């Protein structure tokens, strides 16, 4: 049987990076509406950055079947959007003289442990209702950093896959040549 030159991809909901991005979106939506005054442009900016991170992962994964280039570009757009959101959470803490937890802070250590073991957005939606703004912002920052690590690893893997297998045109050409040889 011939190997397909169009391997079906796009099951983004199973990607840890997508799951974490969804958690970030849900936390950001809650946070922005709870802690910013109605009409503050920061609400829309933060929600759009979180949404862009999530949506670009989904779109990049869906485009992967026919375009490695598009997939890689959109994963990088997702990273950039989440970095923008990271700055918003850091700014929130800084200008309000709240604490961004140091990496050695016991709260930070516990937060990293919890965030590394939970990718279900419902978990965070339930948990943040019982937390204050400083804690929620630090949870979001932790998740953004973890997601960034996953995105960097995913982008590295996508680049290696591209170098190994080529793009869709190369794969189509190889499949056509193999078909002709075997027919």
């Amino acid at each position: 049987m011939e190997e397909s030159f169009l391997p079906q991809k796009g099951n983004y909901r199973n990607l840890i990076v997508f799951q974490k991005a969804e958690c970030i979106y849900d936390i950001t939506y809650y946070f922005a509406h709870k802690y910013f005054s109605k009409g503050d442009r920061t609400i829309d900016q933060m929600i759009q950055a979180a949404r862009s991170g999530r949506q670009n992962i989904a779109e990049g994964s869906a485009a992967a079947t026919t375009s490695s280039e598009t997939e890689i570009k959109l994963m990088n757009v997702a990273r950039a959007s989440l970095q923008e959101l990271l700055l918003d959470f850091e700014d929130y803490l800084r200008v309000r003289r709240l604490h961004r937890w140091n990496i050695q802070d016991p709260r930070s250590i516990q937060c990293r442990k919890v965030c590394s073991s939970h990718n279900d957005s419902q978990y965070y939606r339930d948990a943040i209702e019982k937390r204050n703004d400083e804690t929620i912002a630090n949870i979001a920052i932790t998740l953004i950093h973890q997601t960034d690590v996953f995105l960097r690893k995913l982008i590295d893997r996508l680049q290696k896959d591209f170098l190994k297998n080529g793009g869709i045109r190369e794969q189509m050409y190889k499949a056509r040549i193999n078909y002709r040889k075997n027919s």
Side-chain angles (χ1 to χ4, degrees):
M1 175 146 196
E2 289 292 317
E3 200 174 300
S4 174
F5 61 85
L6 283 177
Q8 290 305 303
K9 297 182 179 180
N11 197 1
Y12 57 86
R13 292 187 186 277
N14 290 337
L15 294 174
I16 291 172
V17 72
F18 177 82
Q19 295 165 4
K20 288 199 176 295
E22 185 168 86
C23 297
I24 293 166
Y25 176 84
D26 289 356
I27 291 169
T28 302
Y29 188 90
Y30 174 86
F31 184 90
H33 285 100
K34 181 160 175 80
Y35 294 107
F36 288 99
S37 301
K38 189 175 181 174
D40 188 331
R41 287 186 43 204
T42 309
I43 295 170
D44 289 336
Q45 290 172 330
M46 288 181 76
I47 290 171
Q48 285 306 312
R51 181 183 183 281
S52 177
R54 179 180 175 265
Q55 299 299 103
N56 279 291
I57 292 166
E59 188 178 345
S61 181
T65 298
T66 57
S67 179
S68 299
E69 178 185 2
T70 300
E71 181 182 24
I72 292 168
K73 281 181 182 178
L74 290 173
M75 294 303 171
N76 274 300
V77 171
R79 269 193 81 208
S81 295
L82 293 175
Q83 288 301 309
E84 177 186 341
L85 181 61
L86 174 66
L87 291 173
D88 286 333
F89 277 110
E90 290 173 343
D91 289 347
Y92 180 91
L93 292 172
R94 187 184 65 257
V95 300
R96 287 164 181 80
R97 298 183 187 272
L98 298 172
H99 297 284
R100 178 170 177 217
W101 300 339
N102 177 294
I103 197 162
Q104 297 303 323
D105 186 311
R107 296 172 296 181
S108 180
I109 294 167
Q110 179 63 27
C111 186
R112 286 194 310 274
K113 247 186 245 182
V114 169
C115 289
S116 68
S117 62
H118 291 282
N119 298 331
D120 175 24
S121 61
Q122 185 63 52
Y123 173 84
Y124 294 99
R125 288 193 307 272
D126 293 340
I128 60 177
E129 289 182 2
K130 303 171 191 113
R131 306 295 191 282
N132 64 25
D133 55 344
E134 179 181 299
T135 301
I136 297 169
N138 277 286
I139 291 168
I141 288 168
T142 300
L143 279 168
I144 292 167
H145 282 299
Q146 289 180 352
T147 305
D148 188 65
V149 169
F150 281 110
L151 273 169
R152 282 194 323 254
K153 288 178 180 180
L154 177 58
I155 292 165
D156 286 346
R157 185 182 57 78
L158 294 172
Q159 289 174 4
K160 287 175 184 161
D161 288 351
F162 178 79
L163 290 174
K164 179 181 174 190
N165 302 317
I168 185 66
R169 287 195 174 131
E170 288 174 275
Q171 291 173 32
M172 290 170 72
Y173 178 76
K174 286 177 194 173
R176 181 73 179 140
I177 295 300
N178 285 337
Y179 176 80
R180 284 182 182 167
K181 263 198 287 189
N182 296 327
S183 292

